Amino acid sequence: MSTDEGARAWLRRHGAEQIAHPGGNLYDHLCRVSERLAALGCGSDVQVAGLTHAVYGTDGFDLALLDRADRAVLRDLVGADAEELVYLYGACDRERSWRKLAQTGQVFDRFVHQVRTPDAAQLRSLVDLSIVNELDVIEQDPAVADRHGPYFRDLFASWAPLASEEVIRDAQRVLRP
């Protein structure tokens, strides 16, 4: 069984198909994010992190499928690099991190209340995952684009130096005014 197949089976066993999310359920959202990351040329670690990005809960979706104390479970399932990205994504305090991310390269970890400075590759992966996640939510719930489109256009433009070119082009396409 591939890492992707194992992660999908794990998510189903942990009820992701029963959790409501824009566009249907959490499982469908996670799959769409992973598939979009693949289509945009992101690596396999980023793709599987996209598939499992909400496992610890996020600043925008507080329900966790796995306690952070059990990080080894996810690490064994998806690998150390993907798990670290999932943790970083879940830990990111968006209010304290997103606006200044391109200038500081720092993420405020809402779980342990500390600033983290990911390396350039981790930062790119975090930004790509964050953008793709929001694009999926926007496409599934057009009211989000109506309410937050200008914010995301500005934010993602500020992240352009950090993000993959393909991801930025996709964001520009989706968020076209």
Side-chain angles (χ1 to χ4, degrees), residues 109-124:
D109 184 326
R110 68 190 182 97
F111 297 143
V112 297
H113 306 285
Q114 294 178 346
V115 173
R116 295 173 50 124
T117 306
D119 65 32
Q122 286 176 315
L123 194 56
R124 171 164 285 192

Side-chain angles (χ1 to χ4, degrees), residues 130-143:
S130 298
I131 291 171
V132 168
N133 175 72
E134 296 304 330
L135 294 179
D136 182 70
V137 171
I138 287 166
E139 288 181 330
Q140 299 304 315
D141 184 356

Side-chain angles (χ1 to χ4, degrees), residues 9-57:
W10 188 93
L11 290 164
R12 287 190 300 273
R13 280 195 313 274
H14 286 81
E17 291 173 307
Q18 277 63 57
I19 299 169
H21 196 278
N25 61 62
L26 179 60
Y27 179 79
D28 291 342
H29 165 69
L30 297 169
C31 291
R32 285 191 306 267
V33 169
S34 179
E35 291 159 8
R36 188 179 210 139
L37 288 163
L40 294 171
C42 294
S44 59
D45 284 339
V46 179
Q47 293 170 40
V48 77
L51 183 60
T52 56
H53 73 266
V55 166
Y56 303 129

Side-chain angles (χ1 to χ4, degrees), residues 67-79:
D67 189 287
R68 292 181 318 278
D70 297 324
R71 288 180 65 183
V73 171
L74 187 61
R75 193 175 306 118
D76 290 346
L77 183 65
V78 301

